[in-house]
Amino acid sequence: MAAGTIRYWAAAKAAAGTGEEPYAAETLAEALAAARERHPGELVRVLQRCSFLVDGDPVGTRGHETVRLAEGGTVEVLPPFAGG
């Protein structure tokens, strides 16, 4: 099982009540499931609208169960934002 860091931004940070926390998971799906368990409520709703970067690479439309996490890696949780 890989260990790393999940970083929450904007609305995800507010919903989680923290800017970052550790993960211990093999896939992005596992890491997000654990985050939902730790932070039931608003974060569960926010995560449905988020984009994700894993070690700087966009996840895009790939299934989260197919996205492997690396030891010492970083998952960035990015809610939708407006601006230009």
Side-chain angles (χ1 to χ4, degrees), residues 16-83:
T18 185
E20 64 180 53
E21 63 187 358
Y23 70 72
E26 291 296 322
T27 66
L28 178 58
E30 291 173 8
L32 294 177
R36 288 181 190 100
E37 287 181 20
R38 284 189 301 274
H39 309 286
E42 186 62 22
L43 183 63
V44 173
R45 290 183 285 282
V46 170
L47 288 176
Q48 293 173 345
R49 300 183 310 270
C50 288
S51 299
F52 305 93
L53 299 177
V54 174
D55 297 330
D57 294 322
V59 171
T61 59
R62 290 182 286 161
H64 294 169
E65 67 281 351
T66 68
V67 180
R68 308 285 298 167
L69 300 179
E71 182 68 28
T74 302
V75 174
E76 306 278 350
V77 180
L78 307 169
F81 59 92

